Amino acid sequence: MAESAELSSVDKIKAGSNALRGHVAEELANSVDHFEEDTVQVLKHHGMYQQDNRDLRGAKDAQGNKRGKVYSLMLRVKIPGGCLSADQLVAQLDLCDELGNGTARITDRQDIQLHEIPKRNLREAMRRIHEAQLTTLGACGDVVRNVLCCPAPFRNDAVRNAMRDLALRVSQHLLPRTAAYREIWLGDASTEAVGVGEPGSQSQDRDEEPIYGRVYLPRKFKIAFGLIEDNCVDAYANDLGFLAIRSGDQLEGYNVVVGGGFGVTPSNKRTFPAVGQALTFANPSEVVDVATAVVKVFRDFGNRSDRKRARLKYLIADWGLDGFRTKLEEYLGRSLCPPKPQEAIGCEDHLGWHDQGDGHWFLGLFVENGRILDRDGLRLKSALRELCRTYRPGIQLTPQQNILLSDIAPADRSGVEAILHRHGVKLVDAISQARRWSMACVALPTCGLAITEAERALPGLIDQLEKAVLDVGLEGERFTVRMTGCPNGCARPYNADIGLVGKTVGKYTVFLGGHLLGNRLAYLYKDLVPLDQIVPTLLPILKRFKAERLTGETLGDFCHRVRPMGSNRADEA
């Protein structure tokens, strides 16, 4: 069982929630503009976060009176592997316009987030998500989150096809089973009365969670499927990663890595980021069982008293990888074989035009920080609507928060480009490497954890960085820049070439020396750097890299090699 018999406050709420029903239905029926805190914790498992617009805190209304928080809900639509249809994408764009704040956001877990939906619009939003044959169940909360998979739609690649099918099987297998979601949001005719599922009721079996149990997991759990030659999913940053290994044109199996995760609480020195460690090799037929067993070990032994240490990485750190392997073998009922000697060797973002291999093409479009919107000079949302209605492409969302349009006939390529040009959407050749590989979390104004800016600050910072890179002569260099508004690391800054983590208002910790492949932590280079001093702080590093780099050395490799004495890795900072 967990480290302590004393449950955290959130686990107590889950335990008493009647299989994730709580008081959601009652509070939906009242006229209050927000949910109570216990209900907020339950709602996370239905795929939503209650937030308030921090820009509006303390603002005055039309009568000049100071108003309180302006509450709304962020809905996260769960899209396994990032694949959806043109109609499904248009439905989400319509929904954000009509019920939200007019923007949709691609996440680095291949979800779509819909922001600032008022409580009064919540039922309608959930109904329309369901009508589009999508769901928010399992997108948030203490369950397995959206399962990542390389989205590149190369149709004649048996390995990618098999991997994609397996990722979808794992995702479906690890969904929560409770009937609460259908009862509350979809009005399931067989479960109209909210509250069924109490001990002894006829619906009790429908609420049984054979994988998660009554209290679900100690914290969230993340899974990713990538390839040795293309780790675009950043498998090492996940609790559980599967890296496909080829044998000729066929899939041999997967190297399994465990224990990645980037959430940190600076005041708690027992918390740290971690990259996953190679645990075993699994044949394709073994993957579902291995994934289930890892989740169950975490369920039974993860820390349930201290949520700051309730991730799989801490269980592995406390037990050691060998101790974790022994317990996993006990749950599987068999021994695990060692991992193959391969690690990730490549990472692609899949932007630009690519031959699918079936006579059609796909086009990868850069979406800055994942935000789909219309603004002066860039009408991405309108462009995507027109493309979806005119050409009906397949849609694939990437872990770099970009979008792929697939199944485009060769004769339609010029028409696609014309629509993009008319709406101010640039193709990848017109985007710098610094911007192309950049990524930020949402941060202000909607994230309650944000200390400082990220998404709203990074584009301007990249403007400055582009000039510095050009001046130094490194404009062709590929390196990652990732910024977060707090230490929780949602945009994966701790394994980036350059990681920028909000530390206090307007100031950031600068990390250097990670790697595009994602298998190495960066180290703390400088703390409390004001936003306007970040590029001046990086400029001497760029100049030295240009002058002293070894043949084939990346920026992250160089920073790792010349790491200053006494500097701490992200997990030691």
Side-chain angles (χ1 to χ4, degrees), residues 304-380:
R304 289 194 178 270
S305 60
D306 180 2
R307 285 180 65 82
K308 291 180 173 57
R309 284 199 99 244
R311 292 295 299 275
L312 183 68
K313 62 183 176 181
Y314 300 120
L315 186 62
I316 292 173
D318 293 342
W319 284 3
L321 189 62
D322 288 341
F324 180 79
R325 181 185 291 107
T326 297
K327 181 58 67 175
L328 185 61
E329 289 175 337
E330 178 184 319
Y331 272 57
L332 282 168
R334 63 174 178 81
S335 297
L336 295 170
C337 63
K340 301 287 184 180
Q342 290 100 321
E343 288 192 359
I345 58 173
C347 177
E348 301 296 333
D349 61 8
H350 307 294
L351 298 188
W353 283 108
H354 299 269
D355 187 341
Q356 289 180 183
D358 62 353
H360 289 75
W361 291 74
F362 75 85
L363 173 63
L365 293 177
F366 175 73
V367 182
E368 191 155 34
N369 299 315
R371 186 71 67 171
I372 301 175
L373 80 172
D374 284 353
R375 58 171 172 78
D376 289 345
L378 174 65
R379 293 180 294 127
L380 176 61

Side-chain angles (χ1 to χ4, degrees), residues 202-313:
Q202 292 182 347
S203 67
Q204 185 175 359
D205 289 344
R206 295 185 310 106
D207 291 333
E208 184 179 353
E209 295 280 10
I211 295 174
Y212 291 120
R214 185 172 66 99
V215 196
Y216 295 84
L217 300 181
R219 282 294 298 274
K220 59 190 172 184
F221 193 95
K222 298 180 178 180
I223 299 176
F225 284 79
L227 302 103
I228 289 291
E229 73 271 19
D230 180 12
N231 183 30
C232 67
V233 298
D234 217 345
Y236 298 98
N238 286 258
D239 296 275
L240 178 60
F242 295 94
L243 286 168
I245 298 174
R246 296 176 184 269
S247 178
D249 294 332
Q250 300 302 309
L251 175 64
E252 180 179 354
Y254 298 86
N255 266 356
V256 182
V257 297
V258 294
F262 287 165
V264 178
T265 304
S267 61
N268 186 337
K269 298 305 180 184
R270 297 179 69 224
T271 67
F272 46 82
V275 292
Q277 304 174 65
L279 177 72
T280 186
F281 173 82
N283 294 316
S285 62
E286 299 171 324
V287 165
V288 173
D289 286 344
V290 168
T292 304
V294 173
V295 169
K296 286 182 176 181
V297 171
F298 177 54
R299 175 198 67 192
D300 293 344
F301 296 97
N303 190 325
R304 289 194 178 270
S305 60
D306 180 2
R307 285 180 65 82
K308 291 180 173 57
R309 284 199 99 244
R311 292 295 299 275
L312 183 68
K313 62 183 176 181

Side-chain angles (χ1 to χ4, degrees), residues 522-536:
Y523 61 86
L524 193 160
Y525 175 69
K526 190 167 288 189
D527 205 7
L528 296 175
V529 179
L531 178 62
D532 63 1
Q533 291 301 305
I534 289 175
V535 173

